[in-house]
Amino acid sequence: MTTKRRLLDLSPLRDSRDFRLVFIGGVATAFGSFISYVTIPYQVAKLTDDPLMVGLIGVCELLPLLIMAFVGGALADYIDRRLLVRGSELALAAICGILLINSLSDEPHLWLLYVAAFLTAAVAGLQRPALEAMIPRLVKPEQLPATMSVQSLGMQFAQLLGMPLAGVLLASFDLAWVYAFDLCTFAVSLLCLTLVKAVPPPAAADRPSLNSVVTGLKYAKSRPELLGTYLVDINAMFFGMPAALYPFLADDLGGPKVLGLLYAAPAVGSLIATIGSGWTARVHRHGLMVLIASALWGVGIIGVGLSGTLWLTLFCLAFAGAADMVSGLFRMIMWNQTIPDHLRGRLAGIEMLSYTTGPLLGQLRSGAMARTGLGIGGAIWVGGVLCVAGSVALAAALPKLVKYNGKDGMALKRAADDEWNASAASRTT
């Protein structure tokens, strides 16, 4: 096996101009957004000194996602996906501006932080399905595994640089400068999205309606291996995502200057896993790999809760991040290689619910559990144990996910696309 085959394949960036633009814009806005991702919980923690109040941010984000992910998915299958992504990016920039103005107040409003979290999640629910449905249209089908790895690499660099920088900024400057930095990054993303060519909807696209949403749900139900990936991810994030506790964990490990390190450590592991992801193209038992990686994520979180020292905590978070990246890569390959294009937006909305509801509810779970006799460390390691147990239980309950072979999924997509195109052609003649 050559080193080249083991390492990351960058051909999607070389071959597709539009994917390069989406990649650059996405990394820029993610860099700023990861800074705010650290800053908002930090600001809530300082205003309330209550882990449950930090966990409630997740509740504010969950409620709009439950609705807007379906709306965004239906729209992504009907209108130009690029326009939907760009319009949503403008709205996210405006919300960041609200956070900046609030931070300039002598007495920042706590309620406004929750409103901003609510609105950000609502807009993200519109944007993410369109973005995820757009990407497979910008690259060759055989490049999708590499494309998912390249995208992940960009997000990891943004996280790896943005989150530690957030800790430095929070320790050195006023909050307003932190939010202002995030706002500036939107200029790059909006320019890149403006230069991307139009990505029109599939032929004879379904008009957004309750029936079109139901059609997407019925398709998801017909694919138990897809439903299995959603459940595995929700289990891992609900029990094993203690991000709401990081501001309090940082207090025990070194203060605000280490807060960004806690948020960034998983990205280090993810980065290492992504750089060495060339092997994923040769593995076809995607479902089995999702389950194994999910259980290993839980093992890493157990270590975080039990470590008690900064270096070991960061190592365990990096280990967990690497496992989560492997799970994420195989989930994305399953989704993007097997779902028909005319349903891609709606299924992307369902996917978004799976990978966002778990972490958001996990924040609430960890915050509430920390208020019990378990404390901060106990709330983390107990969650990791439950994550591992849940992964084992799901493996027993989902045999089709365990046995899933990627070659069969690709054939299923080709047949579904051919059938839809033939039907669309007959309706337009």
Side-chain angles (χ1 to χ4, degrees):
M1 183 186 301
T2 65
T3 301
K4 183 176 180 181
R5 290 179 180 177
R6 290 195 299 267
L7 299 181
L8 185 66
D9 179 4
L10 298 177
S11 62
L13 286 174
R14 294 195 302 267
D15 298 344
S16 174
R17 166 192 174 272
D18 285 342
F19 177 66
R20 283 197 303 274
L21 288 169
V22 171
F23 175 82
I24 294 170
V27 170
T29 191
F31 178 57
S33 297
F34 278 125
I35 292 177
S36 290
Y37 180 79
V38 175
T39 305
I40 293 175
Y42 174 83
Q43 190 174 8
V44 173
K46 291 304 176 185
L47 289 173
T48 66
D49 195 30
D50 187 342
L52 182 58
M53 295 300 290
V54 178
L56 286 176
I57 296 174
V59 176
C60 293
E61 294 171 332
L62 175 63
L63 295 176
L65 278 175
L66 294 175
I67 298 174
M68 299 310 294
F70 291 111
V71 175
L75 288 173
D77 285 334
Y78 186 70
I79 65 176
D80 186 329
R81 292 166 179 172
R82 181 204 57 165
L83 292 179
L84 186 54
V85 172
R86 189 173 63 185
S88 300
E89 196 76 356
L90 278 170
L92 291 171
I95 296 169
C96 184
I98 293 173
L99 289 170
L100 171 59
I101 294 171
N102 184 54
S103 68
L104 291 169
S105 172
D106 292 335
E107 295 184 3
H109 298 290
L110 177 64
W111 65 267
L112 196 54
L113 297 175
Y114 292 116
V115 170
F118 180 95
L119 293 176
T120 298
V123 176
L126 288 175
Q127 184 187 61
R128 289 301 294 271
L131 178 61
E132 293 186 13
M134 180 171 70
I135 295 299
R137 297 273 293 276
L138 304 181
V139 298
K140 301 173 184 176
E142 61 272 17
Q143 290 181 320
L144 278 172
T147 301
M148 298 303 101
S149 296
V150 169
Q151 271 197 293
S152 298
L153 181 67
M155 294 303 102
Q156 289 147 21
F157 269 119
Q159 184 179 0
L160 191 58
L161 295 176
M163 289 183 167
L165 179 59
V168 173
L169 294 175
L170 289 171
S172 308
F173 300 98
D174 292 335
L175 283 171
W177 287 103
V178 184
Y179 289 123
F181 191 99
D182 183 12
L183 188 60
C184 291
T185 62
F186 284 102
V188 178
S189 63
L190 287 169
L191 175 61
C192 289
L193 288 171
T194 300
L195 295 174
V196 173
K197 296 177 183 177
V199 184
D206 290 336
R207 184 180 297 275
S209 64
L210 182 59
N211 285 338
S212 70
V213 172
V214 171
T215 298
L217 291 172
K218 287 182 177 179
Y219 179 81
K221 184 180 179 181
S222 72
R223 297 281 305 279
E225 69 278 11
L226 291 182
L227 288 177
T229 65
Y230 306 153
L231 294 174
V232 170
D233 191 41
I234 290 172
N235 165 75
M237 294 297 104
F238 177 73
F239 291 116
M241 174 52 77
L245 303 182
Y246 288 173
F248 305 94
L249 189 61
D251 289 340
D252 296 332
L253 298 175
K257 63 180 180 294
V258 306
L259 177 59
L261 298 178
L262 296 178
Y263 280 104
V268 175
S270 297
L271 180 63
I272 294 171
T274 302
I275 291 174
S277 63
W279 62 274
T280 60
R282 299 184 297 277
V283 176
H284 302 291
R285 295 290 298 278
H286 300 157
L288 179 61
M289 292 304 302
V290 169
L291 285 161
I292 293 173
S294 174
L296 291 176
W297 159 270
V299 171
I301 297 303
I302 293 171
V304 172
L306 295 175
S307 68
T309 59
L310 178 60
W311 72 267
L312 184 55
T313 297
L314 295 177
F315 174 82
C316 292
L317 284 171
F319 176 86
D324 185 52
M325 188 69 257
V326 172
S327 173
L329 286 174
F330 282 107
R331 291 197 312 270
M332 288 187 288
I333 291 172
M334 288 178 67
W335 298 339
N336 286 299
Q337 279 191 338
T338 69
I339 296 173
D341 186 57
H342 68 281
L343 291 168
R344 192 67 193 86
R346 280 163 283 182
L347 269 293
I350 298 173
E351 292 156 19
M352 183 179 182
L353 287 179
S354 76
Y355 63 69
T356 56
T357 54
L360 296 178
L361 290 173
Q363 292 186 52
L364 181 62
R365 190 276 314 165
S366 61
M369 193 173 286
R371 297 183 78 183
T372 68
L374 289 171
I376 301 299
I380 295 174
W381 74 258
V382 170
V385 171
L386 293 173
C387 169
V388 174
S391 298
V392 173
L394 287 170
L398 299 168
K400 289 189 176 181
L401 177 63
V402 176
K403 297 176 182 178
Y404 172 79
N405 188 303
K407 294 180 180 180
D408 297 334
M410 292 180 68
L412 181 66
K413 179 183 184 300
R414 285 194 294 269
D417 281 337
D418 291 343
E419 181 181 355
W420 176 264
N421 291 332
S423 175
S426 65
R427 280 179 282 173
T428 57
T429 57

